[in-house]
Amino acid sequence: MNVARFNFSHGEHAGHKEVLDRLRKVAAGKGNYISYALDTKGPEIRTAMIKGGGTIDLKAGQEVIVVAVGPDQYTQWEGYVEEDTGR
């Protein structure tokens, strides 16, 4: 093994550290070097379902407004507040 990849989108940091420590110990015991790729979690945008199961068609260059509604509203929101503006 030359590279160990850690996917930080899943699991806990403590669990990743345990695996990293074990890998380092095994590699040192064998006199090998291993590179570690830390795949960190990037920004996410989670969207709600559109009322009636509709879709949103976007065009290149179109402005998109993202509204943060919080966890309580996220589970209750159903489509646009203003149909004509998309807000």
Side-chain angles (χ1 to χ4, degrees):
M1 174 188 290
N2 296 320
V3 178
R5 176 180 171 262
F6 291 81
N7 183 355
F8 278 81
S9 293
H10 305 284
E12 300 291 325
H13 290 167
H16 291 300
K17 173 128 178 28
E18 289 176 17
V19 173
L20 178 61
D21 290 343
R22 284 196 313 266
L23 279 171
R24 286 179 170 164
K25 183 177 180 180
V26 169
K30 293 182 173 280
N32 293 338
Y33 293 98
I34 298 177
S35 296
Y36 304 99
L38 307 181
D39 187 354
T40 60
K41 185 175 181 178
E44 292 181 343
I45 297 176
R46 296 193 183 265
T47 59
M49 299 300 293
I50 301 299
K51 192 174 195 173
T55 61
I56 299 175
D57 296 319
L58 300 175
K59 295 177 178 68
Q62 177 181 348
E63 181 178 304
V64 176
I65 299 171
V66 178
V67 178
V69 296
D72 294 332
Q73 292 85 355
Y74 178 79
T75 60
Q76 301 168 3
W77 192 74
E78 293 184 6
Y80 301 121
V81 175
E82 301 170 16
E83 191 79 35
D84 57 329
T85 65
R87 296 184 185 169

